[in-house]
Amino acid sequence: MSEPRAFSATVSAIVQDGTLVVTIDNPPVNATSADVRSGLQQALAHAEQNADVTAVVLTSAGRTFIGGADIKEFGKPAVEPTLPAVIEMIEALSKPVVAALNGAALGGGLEVALACHHRIASPTAQVGLPEVKLGIVPGAGGTQRLPRLIGIPAALDLIASGRLVKAGEALALGVIDAVAEGDLVDAAIAAASGLVGRPLRRTGPLTVAAADPAEIEKTAAKILAKARGQKAPAEAVRLVTSASRPLQDGLADERSTFLALRDSDEAKALRHVFFAEREASKVDGLDGVKPRPVTTIGICGLGLMGSGIAVAALGAGYSVIGLDQTEDAADKGRERILGLLQRNLATGRLDQAGFDAQASRLSVTASDADLEPCDLVIEAVFDDLAVKTNLFRRLDAVIRPDAILATNTSYLNPDEIAAATAHPERVLGLHFFSPAHVMRLLEVVRCAATAPDVLATGLAVAKALRKLAVVTGVTEGFIGNRIFSAYRREAEFLLEDGALPHEIDAALEDYGFPMGLFAVYDMAGLEIAWARRKRQAATRDPSERYVEIADRLCEAGRLGQKSGRGWYAYPDGKRTVDPQVTAIIEACRAEKGIAPRSFSVAEIEQRLLKAMADEGSALLAEGIAARPGDIDLVMINGYGFPAHKGGPMFAKG
Ligand code: 3H9
């Protein structure tokens, strides 16, 4: 083995048995930054010119092969060589180049691998072209080379969804050629040596396999229906479905499409979301704070929310002890949880062994004392202060002094719940969104007395549950529901001022929400919010503008889709504009002497966006939210705000 030789600050190589083993070391994710591209270019030139080198293996240091192009370079002046130029050099090299995928090969990382003459991966590696999630398309040959390797339908699926594929599936699809049994680099060197002197299988010149046009059309239609106005998926479909044209034409089209999309508002918004997600885990005051160990989680209240939390916790490998008021309720909770696991089994998300393992880690009880082994107890009982404080006092008596108590309250003040316990420093809020095993967002509530290691534990558990945790201070409704209230209030002002529910909903859908606000109300049911408004009526400031339309609907028995009518009518289950609702709205306007006016789609969007952003600014000023990006993440992941608009704080500019 030769001495290591540096081709740039991030690319070095050794020669082993005539093979130049090139290693990229560009933490954190070995992105193809300018220095990596230049190092690769030098290494490839060296391999081509040096007779002692018979083959090349390309691999990386750390857990990632290549995480993609360096997103932080986007928007900055271009630096030569470009990634496509390096990739062209790889494919054209006269000596075999083998990619040894030591970890994730994503975006530009997979494009590098696709140009190699053979791909071998460690069993834990993953591959994917996730560019559409950043509002762009692959820009270094992915849309042209992947279909040449695996056919148009499979390439369409991977590129338009951006999903990551594990080594086993990648092998089955033909994205990679082998999974290494033992040492990856040794296996790659052996593969490279075996290719010396033989015709090389270059991906670019391969012919795209013929595919059933009907199948392609069906897959493409599905992708476009899901895209909700985003440009990148449609462009990805266009590029992949036309991959049978000459390679150079396809590559040129791909490159110009990539460059145009990279500079689009959509891509800027999605990059903001990407970095906001990474920022969100950086929390003030937690540097060097170690989370407490958690292996067993108690869950109090095994209704819909508690069961969802239990499924998330079991899936993350925790043992779960569920508590409910009676043996019967506890057994029903167990059935509900097992039912959700069964569903995962049926859909293939869980295999039988996984199901058995998760089920064996679940126990239920009606006795507080059984929660004694828990490291963390999460309550998901009825959202009532007396019920929750009473429960926490009881738990204080049975759990260990170092165990943590979390409340899942949506609207109550967790400081008041904490104050009722003997150790408020071990209390925090974990506000899950329903269904808790599906929704990615978790608001982690830092209460006045929460100890730093308790907060750190909440964040560590959230990460293990694969949730996106956003830390919030204490305020009514935390970040999400407080902004949602402001948005809802503004929507009701719009109703009173002249817009109709279906017009507001259409504007929201046009903006990119999956569903309009009033349609969502109808789906969720109107009675819980009605009950809350009735409770608040006595303390409401009479000088504040209050819109009575929703109360009138409820009084008329219009409680939402379940009751057959709400903001809309549902003849045969189909959502329809109802003249009776229009009449109620008109009557309310007339009572207040409001002369209705019409609103354009843009006006509706602007007013609602401003209401959200203004409330977000207030949350920042009050120190409830740490960063505008945190607010954006909450609204995108909990309330349907379109990610490609970046969230209300980003969108307001
Ligand atoms: C592309 O490739 C375009 C090409 O088709 C065409 C080119 C011509 N660049 O996520 P983590 C940072 S587009 C720069 O917490 P993990 C990240 O900000 C790209 N920085 O780690 C964070 O920084 P900090 C297509 C990046 O282990 C740190 O790395 N590729 C990039 O949980 C750790 O990140 C993708 O879309 C990047 N590409 O997950 C993949 N990626 O520490 C995007 C990450 O300062 N990346 N950083 O906060 C990922 O999905 C995950 O980061 C990965 C690691 C799975 C790789």
Side-chain angles (χ1 to χ4, degrees), residues 176-321:
I176 59 172
D177 302 301
V179 175
E181 301 269 308
D183 183 85
L184 174 70
V185 172
D186 286 348
I189 292 173
S193 308
L195 293 178
V196 175
R198 302 202 7 221
L200 296 174
R201 183 181 183 236
R202 294 189 170 85
T203 312
L206 296 177
T207 309
V208 178
D212 175 7
E215 188 192 348
I216 294 176
E217 204 170 307
K218 209 170 110 202
T219 313
K222 244 197 255 164
I223 293 161
L224 297 179
K226 266 217 226 139
R228 246 182 260 125
Q230 291 185 66
K231 290 189 217 107
E235 291 290 44
V237 167
R238 187 180 65 72
L239 290 163
V240 175
T241 50
S242 58
S244 351
R245 61 182 150 162
L247 179 70
Q248 289 311 323
D249 293 357
L251 289 179
D253 189 356
E254 179 198 76
R255 184 73 182 162
S256 60
T257 309
F258 162 77
L259 290 175
L261 285 175
R262 189 191 63 184
D263 299 332
S264 67
D265 289 344
E266 202 170 294
K268 283 181 194 150
L270 288 164
R271 285 203 289 278
H272 159 74
V273 174
F274 178 83
F275 288 118
E277 287 195 4
R278 269 90 202 151
E279 271 299 290
S281 59
K282 294 168 189 149
V283 177
D284 254 6
L286 293 192
D287 273 354
V289 176
K290 263 183 68 181
R292 299 183 188 179
V294 175
T295 52
T296 302
I297 298 182
I299 297 170
C300 305
L302 300 177
L304 228 65
M305 182 57 94
S307 305
I309 299 172
V311 168
L314 291 167
Y318 293 108
S319 293
V320 169
I321 307 175

Side-chain angles (χ1 to χ4, degrees), residues 28-29 63 67 69-71 108 111 131 134 138-139 255 275 278 282:
V29 299
R63 287 187 307 129
D70 187 342
I71 309 169
E111 292 173 300
E131 282 87 344
L134 292 169
R255 184 73 182 162
F275 288 118
R278 269 90 202 151
K282 294 168 189 149

